Amino acid sequence: MACRYSQQVWHTVSQILGILNTTLAQNVSLLDWWLTKRNGLNKVQKKGLDSTFMLVSWRIWKERND
């Protein structure tokens, strides 16, 4: 998450999803951030967030390797 591109992608996705407090702290991993954001969501919302998290992570990885 030190990459500006990745930070911008996650920020944009978070805004689209309406997730508050989207800024990642320096010492918080992306996994911890994601798990925290799942708290308080219902089953359908968690499923959507999980799918989005996996898709965005995969696309960032693909972009980085291209």
Side-chain angles (χ1 to χ4, degrees):
M1 281 306 300
C3 168
R4 284 298 278 162
Y5 176 77
S6 295
Q7 291 173 351
Q8 184 60 43
V9 169
W10 283 113
H11 179 74
T12 302
V13 169
S14 297
Q15 284 183 324
I16 291 168
L17 296 176
I19 299 173
L20 301 176
N21 300 323
T22 59
T23 305
L24 283 166
Q26 294 287 39
N27 56 351
V28 175
S29 72
L30 184 60
L31 177 62
D32 289 336
W33 174 84
W34 167 57
L35 293 173
T36 301
K37 293 303 169 189
R38 293 179 88 240
N39 290 337
L41 298 178
N42 66 40
K43 187 176 180 177
V44 173
Q45 291 171 322
K46 283 182 183 180
K47 192 173 187 177
L49 181 61
D50 293 349
S51 296
T52 302
F53 181 82
M54 288 183 275
L55 178 62
V56 171
S57 297
W58 180 70
R59 290 301 304 160
I60 289 172
W61 180 79
K62 293 274 291 168
E63 181 68 25
R64 181 176 183 268
N65 288 314
D66 283 345

